[in-house]
Amino acid sequence: MQELIELSWQTQIVIVSGYLSYVLAYSGMRSEHKTIDSVSIVLCFGGLGLLIIHTIDPLIGEDFRFENVVLGISGVVVPIIFAVLWRKLFRENFGKFWRWTGVSEEDGLPTAWNTLIQKRGLLYTQINVTTKDGRVLESWPLEPFNNDPNGPCVLGADGSIGMYVTHITEVGEERREVRKLRDDNGIRITYIPKDQIAEVDLRRSFKKRSN
């Protein structure tokens, strides 16, 4: 920590802005990143902050009283803004461009599960989870859970799932409805660890744009 404090303020800006931007841009996608991946992305975002500092510095001039404050804030804020834009606009379109050119068919995400859960603008209506012991846990319809805690479901980056189980089908038995899922004390959510899941079925569609 002492070594970090003793670094120049520009270097500290690179580290802080780079890390904050990395967290925003790759939220939910970092579990499969190796150290070299994380460090490289942090430096890319942080380097943008350093570039902004060196661009603005000559325009401000040394006589400006709050020069370092303006430079520091700019060096952090601009990379964060770019990180948000990268997450919402650029990353997906960047992948589409490379697929269009025929260079690569992969989308930059480590697993198909990450690709599924990171797709934006989708309306989820049903989720079925088959556990390794053959039991099927179902949540349908999902719409009534939209305003509940963590609703309508939680799709973990590690492959785990949190869901409001409305129906259960045991091996060799008929599908049955879960009683008292919701009462005066709240609503019951079920957590299924990744190592207990054999299959996940999701029903979803693109959200309709309101006029």
Side-chain angles (χ1 to χ4, degrees):
M1 178 61 73
Q2 185 63 33
E3 290 79 2
L4 181 60
I5 295 176
E6 292 176 353
L7 293 173
S8 67
W9 69 269
Q10 291 95 337
T11 303
Q12 293 180 17
I13 289 295
V14 169
I15 296 174
V16 171
S17 63
Y19 179 74
L20 292 177
S21 301
Y22 170 56
V23 170
L24 282 173
Y26 290 89
S27 176
M29 306 179 191
R30 305 192 307 272
S31 60
E32 302 294 333
H33 282 182
K34 298 178 181 178
T35 302
I36 185 63
D37 299 322
S38 301
V39 172
S40 298
I41 297 172
V42 167
L43 291 178
C44 285
F45 283 119
L48 177 61
L50 187 61
L51 177 63
I52 292 299
I53 289 175
H54 287 300
T55 301
I56 296 178
D57 193 14
L59 302 177
I60 294 179
E62 297 181 357
D63 296 332
F64 184 63
R65 182 178 179 182
F66 302 104
E67 177 188 6
N68 288 346
V69 175
V70 173
L71 293 176
I73 293 176
S74 301
V76 173
V77 171
V78 172
I80 288 177
I81 292 174
F82 183 79
V84 173
L85 294 175
W86 173 261
R87 178 62 180 260
K88 293 182 68 67
L89 299 175
F90 299 147
R91 189 191 67 81
E92 186 172 344
N93 291 325
F94 189 69
K96 289 180 180 179
F97 172 76
W98 288 119
R99 289 193 291 275
W100 175 76
T101 59
V103 173
S104 175
E105 291 296 327
E106 63 103 11
D107 59 5
L109 295 176
T111 65
W113 176 252
N114 277 285
T115 298
L116 289 176
I117 66 175
Q118 293 298 336
K119 180 66 176 178
R120 297 181 295 107
L122 298 181
L123 177 66
Y124 287 79
T125 58
Q126 182 179 6
I127 176 171
N128 285 19
V129 175
T130 303
T131 59
K132 291 183 178 179
D133 60 7
R135 185 174 56 164
V136 178
L137 305 177
E138 178 182 352
S139 183
W140 182 86
L142 290 183
E143 185 178 359
F145 307 112
N146 284 342
N147 296 322
D148 287 311
N150 302 116
C153 61
V154 178
L155 305 178
D158 64 343
S160 61
I161 292 177
M163 58 186 290
Y164 301 103
V165 179
T166 60
H167 300 82
I168 299 177
T169 305
E170 302 284 357
V171 178
E173 297 183 9
E174 295 292 327
R175 174 175 175 267
R176 62 179 175 85
E177 184 176 354
V178 174
R179 304 294 182 183
K180 295 184 178 180
L181 180 61
R182 188 191 305 271
D183 59 26
D184 294 338
N185 295 314
I187 184 168
R188 184 174 69 249
I189 191 170
T190 301
Y191 168 75
I192 308 105
K194 173 186 176 181
D195 58 8
Q196 295 184 20
I197 297 175
E199 181 179 310
V200 179
D201 296 290
L202 300 169
R203 191 180 301 276
R204 57 202 188 142
S205 62
F206 286 104
K207 291 181 179 178
K208 296 181 180 179
R209 295 182 178 179
S210 57
N211 297 325

